[in-house]
Amino acid sequence: MKKKIPVGILGATGMVGQQYVRLLAGHPWFEVSYVAASPSSAGKKYKDALKNGWFFPECMPESVANLTVCDVADVKRAAKECAFVFSAFEMPDKDAIRAAEESYAAAGMPVFSNASAHRHTEDVPMLIPEINAQHLDIIPAQQKSRGWKRGFIVVKPNCSLQSYIAPIHALLQAGYEVKRVIVTTMQAVSGAGYPGVPSWDMIDNMVPYIGGEEEKTQFEPYKIWGAIEGSVIVPKEDIAISATCTRVPISDGHTASVSFEFGDKPRRPRSGVGVPTGASGKPTVKEIIKVWRSFAGEPQKLGLPMAPQQAIHYREEANRPQPRKDRDADKGMAVVVGRLRECPVLDYRFVGLSHNTVRGAAGGGILNAELAMKKGYIG
Ligand code: NAP
């Protein structure tokens, strides 16, 4: 690509916003030309607006450090300075986030959002591009019903899902039916933004509750597995999911301990998929690992810049995955899985891990934009 596309980051000063700035440095297609945050940051240079400084060991990209931070409410200015926006701003009122994102789309800008405000909106696709890239097809209907010409809204799911939904989806894609899933997440502190969870709650402790997280972890997969019917996405709710979400004293990387059960039929893969099944009718440990290692979706087929080369990495060691050692696998975009073994209650259990502010936030948002670009939705 000769000329890079100018892009904006809303909430650029926050935990996820800074991860966008870091990941977009040197991106082959996009360059950050616009940053916005709350009115208290507006008017300052980006480097001076970060209330608690730059989070990362790498230096802040020079090209962004001196950009003037604008107010998220200044949609007109954004429309002049960038082609589309990544949305990662926080407000106490979800309606206000929804309305702000819609005003960007109405002004002709595609919005790739990390916020939860539009995840339940029926005509807004919630993408994990390896799983439901086809949901982008709803964009023309979204634009038509809202009278938007070039703008649209795409969201990514909650960061708690990525570590378990890809391994389960890989089995569904290989033709196995999964009936029940029990998942316990151990979520990093960075998932709560900055300053996030009080230090008194995190030192020598873990917190067995994150407000609203279990509902998101249980519902959002249904929308991702849903189908477009007319101008809406109808969730597919045929897997029972029980989630317990906990906050643990880890900086980055959400881990999930997962047990799952196959359905009665079919316990065999679709013909042509090519993996045999064990004597019990359900796949063996070896067969499941083979399915995971060969799992690939649109991002891998299209060779998108942010895509992990291998969507699921399986680690054979008994004590992996671990957040510190595995969260950065494949640029922080891979899901790392290990400890697959039989479960005495359901059929199998495993441990999954993904980087919450990369795969689960900014990296996932960039991958969504790359997919939309490749599919011709960004002019
Ligand atoms: P954060 O660190 O608290 O950052 C919040 C951002 O929102 C800052 O840029 C802040 O700007 C801006 N903001 C606050 N009040 C505002 C207002 N009234 N108007 C406009 N901007 C305002 O939060 P975060 O962790 O980056 O999360 C951002 C979004 O991503 C949230 O919707 C969150 O749910 C979602 N998300 C987070 C993660 C994660 O792992 N952290 C993962 C997935 C999704 P100032 O600096 O000017 O205050």
Side-chain angles (χ1 to χ4, degrees):
M1 191 171 290
K2 280 188 195 134
K3 198 162 180 278
K4 290 190 186 181
I5 295 179
V7 304
I9 303 168
L10 313 179
T13 52
M15 182 70 78
V16 175
Q18 291 196 35
Q19 190 64 271
Y20 271 115
V21 171
R22 183 182 84 89
L23 292 173
L24 287 167
H27 191 281
W29 303 351
F30 309 140
E31 96 190 311
V32 179
S33 64
Y34 185 80
V35 285
S38 75
S40 69
S41 299
K44 296 178 183 163
K45 297 258 182 240
Y46 182 72
K47 63 184 178 195
D48 301 325
L50 306 179
K51 294 189 176 72
N52 296 286
W54 177 246
F55 287 121
F56 304 106
E58 305 95 317
C59 291
M60 181 188 300
E62 276 290 320
S63 55
V64 179
N66 289 309
L67 289 178
T68 300
V69 179
C70 296
D71 186 335
V72 165
D74 194 352
V75 181
K76 269 192 187 161
R77 181 156 177 191
K80 278 188 206 143
E81 296 191 14
C82 57
F84 68 85
V85 292
F86 294 105
S87 166
F89 65 97
E90 193 57 286
M91 281 179 179
D93 179 7
K94 294 265 175 281
D95 288 339
I97 299 182
R98 247 191 303 276
E101 290 184 341
E102 286 172 8
S103 65
Y104 278 83
M109 278 175 289
V111 177
F112 296 93
S113 177
N114 288 80
S116 60
H118 268 297
R119 290 190 197 142
H120 282 254
T121 309
E122 287 177 318
D123 62 354
V124 171
M126 178 159 58
L127 291 189
I128 293 183
E130 282 88 348
I131 299 179
N132 62 337
Q134 75 282 5
H135 283 187
L136 275 184
D137 295 346
I138 201 164
I139 287 174
Q142 185 195 102
Q143 289 173 320
K144 192 173 170 207
S145 67
R146 291 153 181 274
W148 297 340
K149 291 204 174 70
R150 290 193 310 274
F152 56 83
I153 301 174
V154 166
V155 299
K156 60 162 303 309
N158 197 50
C159 50
S160 61
L161 266 65
Q162 341 283 316
S163 51
Y164 84 92
I165 187 173
I168 296 293
H169 180 78
L171 293 168
L172 300 175
Q173 186 174 283
Y176 297 105
E177 183 187 25
V178 174
K179 198 163 72 179
R180 295 198 288 176
V181 174
I182 297 176
V183 53
T184 301
T185 64
M186 288 148 274
Q187 301 186 203
V189 178
S190 61
Y194 193 92
V197 191
S199 51
W200 268 114
D201 288 341
M202 281 288 95
I203 295 169
D204 188 25
N205 202 21
M206 56 84 75
V207 181
Y209 172 72
I210 308 174
E213 205 78 350
E214 293 175 358
E215 293 77 0
K216 292 174 191 165
T217 310
Q218 289 171 177
F219 167 76
E220 292 182 9
Y222 296 150
K223 183 167 178 186
I224 292 167
W225 285 321
I228 298 176
E229 289 182 19
S231 57
V232 300
I233 296 165
V234 178
K236 189 167 183 242
E237 306 194 4
D238 52 4
I239 299 179
I241 302 173
S242 167
T244 302
C245 294
T246 73
R247 185 76 69 197
V248 294
I250 296 291
S251 59
D252 290 315
H254 289 354
T255 305
S257 170
V258 186
S259 290
F260 66 95
E261 185 177 55
F262 286 104
D264 294 328
K265 62 171 183 143
R267 277 192 165 183
R268 297 169 185 288
R270 284 184 207 108
S271 60
V273 175
V275 284
T277 50
S280 64
K282 66 187 178 195
T284 62
V285 164
K286 231 172 148 181
E287 288 160 1
I288 294 173
I289 293 172
K290 189 173 167 193
V291 166
W292 283 344
R293 284 188 169 145
S294 58
F295 175 61
E298 285 288 284
Q300 288 71 35
K301 287 175 201 152
L302 295 170
L304 300 178
M306 198 67 216
Q309 287 192 344
Q310 194 175 328
I312 299 175
H313 293 209
Y314 187 82
R315 302 288 314 209
E316 304 279 355
E317 302 93 316
N319 63 354
R320 301 286 279 271
Q322 295 179 18
R324 191 155 41 82
K325 293 178 180 169
D326 294 309
R327 62 192 169 209
D328 293 322
D330 235 335
K331 307 178 289 248
M333 288 297 285
V335 175
V336 184
V337 179
R339 304 211 61 219
L340 177 67
R341 63 231 191 265
E342 295 214 345
C343 171
V345 178
L346 303 183
D347 283 327
Y348 286 105
R349 50 199 159 144
F350 66 87
V351 177
L353 171 86
S354 80
H355 196 305
N356 55 296
T357 66
V358 181
R359 177 82 230 200
I366 295 169
L367 193 62
N368 286 350
E370 290 173 351
L371 181 71
M373 172 92 195
K374 203 73 177 176
K375 298 276 181 186
Y377 288 107
I378 300 174

